[in-house]
Amino acid sequence: MSWGGFKKAASRAGTTLMQKTGQVERTIDREFAEEEGRYKTMEKETNNLQKEAKVYLDSIRAMAAAQARIAETISLFYSHDRSSDGAMAGHAYKAAVDEMDGVVGRDLDAPYRATVLEPIGKLNSYYPTINNAITKREHKMMDYDAARAKVKKLVEKPSDDTTKLPRAQAEHDEAKEVFDILNEQLITELPVLVDLRIPYLDPSFEAMIRCQLRFAEEGYEKLSGVQRYFADNIRDEYANGSLDVQVEGVLEEMRELSIFGP
C-alpha cells in the first residue's frame, strides 16, 4: 500500500469510529441497501448451488464406485459357477454395473461439468469484482460523509482562515459527485444482475435434469436385464415375507455349524 493509500485508509478508519460515536453522520440509502441485500442473497445461494452440484456429481461417482466393488465381490462368489441362476445373475449384474460405470464417465461426468458446474462457477467468479465495486462505494461514501461533516463544522464554527470553508466545500462537492456516480451505478446494475440469474441458470437446470434422467434411464435399462435371471416368483416371495423365512433358515443352519461353538 502506498503512503497515500495508507493515509486514506487511516482517515476512513477514523471516520468509521466517529460515525459509531455519533460525531459524523452516516449516509443512509435504503434503496441501495435493499438491492445489495438481494444481491448478497443471490451470491450466497449460487455459491451454495455450485457446492451442492459438485457434491451431487461426487456422490454419483462414489455410488458407482461402491456399486462396482459390490458387483466384483458378488462375481467372485460365483467364480467357479457359470450355469446356476444365481451365478448368471451375479455375472450379469457385474457386466451391467461395468457398463453403468462407463455411462457415468461418458454421459454424466463430462456433460454435467460443461453444462452445470462450469456455468455456475463462471457466474460465481464475477462476485469478487462486484464486491470490490461495493467496497469502493463504501469507501467513497465515508469520504463524502467526512467531507460533509467538515463543512458542517466550519459553518457552525468559522475558522479565522477564510480559505478553509471554500476548500472544504470543494472537497465535499467532489466527494459527493464520485459517491453519487458509484451509488447510482450499483443501484441501477445490481437489480439487473439479480434478474439475469434466471435466464442464465435455466439452461444449466435443464441440463442437470437431462443428465440425471440419462443416468437413471441407463441404470434402469441395464439392471432390468439382470432381472430375467431371477425366478418369476421372487418378487411375490419378497412381498409376502417368504424370502425372509428363507434367509432366517440359512442363518439357522450357519448357527448350527460347529465353528460357532457351543
Side-chain angles (χ1 to χ4, degrees):
M1 180 184 293
S2 65
W3 174 245
F6 176 77
K7 288 177 65 178
K8 274 287 186 182
S11 175
R12 287 167 183 154
T15 300
T16 300
L17 180 61
M18 287 189 287
Q19 285 176 334
K20 289 180 178 179
T21 58
Q23 298 178 61
V24 173
E25 182 182 356
R26 179 179 174 83
T27 297
I28 303 297
D29 190 327
R30 289 184 173 80
E31 185 178 7
F32 171 79
E34 180 180 346
E35 298 303 339
E36 183 189 26
R38 293 180 66 217
Y39 160 73
K40 288 296 183 182
T41 298
M42 171 181 163
E43 179 186 21
K44 176 183 176 182
E45 295 303 328
T46 52
N47 275 307
N48 286 339
L49 180 62
Q50 182 182 20
K51 178 182 175 182
E52 295 304 327
K54 185 177 184 303
V55 168
Y56 169 79
L57 182 58
D58 290 343
S59 298
I60 291 294
R61 284 180 183 156
M63 183 190 71
Q67 194 170 239
R69 290 191 294 270
I70 292 171
E72 179 68 27
T73 301
I74 292 175
S75 179
L76 288 174
F77 287 165
Y78 298 104
S79 58
H80 301 295
D81 181 358
R82 288 291 189 183
S83 58
S84 69
D85 290 342
M88 287 190 290
H91 295 306
Y93 179 63
K94 173 72 165 57
V97 166
D98 287 344
E99 290 185 37
M100 289 171 62
D101 193 41
V103 168
V104 171
R106 183 184 68 251
D107 296 336
L108 179 66
D109 195 303
Y112 188 85
R113 284 185 174 279
T115 60
V116 178
L117 291 181
E118 289 178 10
I120 297 174
K122 187 173 183 179
L123 174 61
N124 289 342
S125 71
Y126 294 146
Y127 292 138
T129 300
I130 299 167
N131 290 334
N132 285 339
I134 292 174
T135 299
K136 184 177 181 180
R137 174 205 176 269
E138 179 73 15
H139 289 166
K140 297 304 179 183
M141 185 183 73
M142 284 192 286
D143 293 344
Y144 167 48
D145 289 346
R148 185 178 63 234
K150 186 176 181 181
V151 169
K152 182 180 179 182
K153 182 178 179 181
L154 286 171
V155 169
E156 293 175 347
K157 295 182 179 180
S159 171
D160 293 338
D161 185 348
T162 57
T163 64
K164 281 189 174 182
L165 181 57
R167 285 203 309 269
Q169 186 64 52
E171 291 173 2
H172 166 276
D173 294 345
E174 181 182 357
K176 184 178 186 302
E177 182 181 4
V178 172
F179 168 70
D180 285 344
I181 290 172
L182 290 173
N183 192 52
E184 184 61 31
Q185 181 183 33
L186 286 168
I187 288 175
T188 300
E189 295 183 1
L190 282 179
V192 175
L193 173 68
V194 172
D195 289 342
L196 284 173
R197 76 193 187 283
I198 296 176
Y200 181 83
L201 291 174
D202 266 355
S204 290
F205 176 59
E206 181 180 352
M208 181 181 68
I209 297 300
R210 289 182 180 277
C211 287
Q212 291 180 352
L213 179 62
R214 172 70 171 163
F215 180 73
E217 287 177 338
E218 285 287 338
Y220 180 79
E221 179 185 341
K222 298 295 186 296
L223 293 177
S224 292
V226 181
Q227 282 189 336
R228 62 193 176 94
Y229 294 104
F230 293 108
D232 294 337
N233 62 336
I234 288 292
R235 183 175 297 178
D236 293 335
E237 290 181 352
Y238 176 79
N240 62 30
S242 298
L243 283 182
D244 292 338
V245 174
Q246 292 180 34
V247 170
E248 284 298 324
V250 173
L251 288 175
E252 183 60 32
E253 289 182 28
M254 288 182 177
R255 286 192 287 267
E256 291 174 358
L257 295 174
S258 59
I259 57 175
F260 276 86

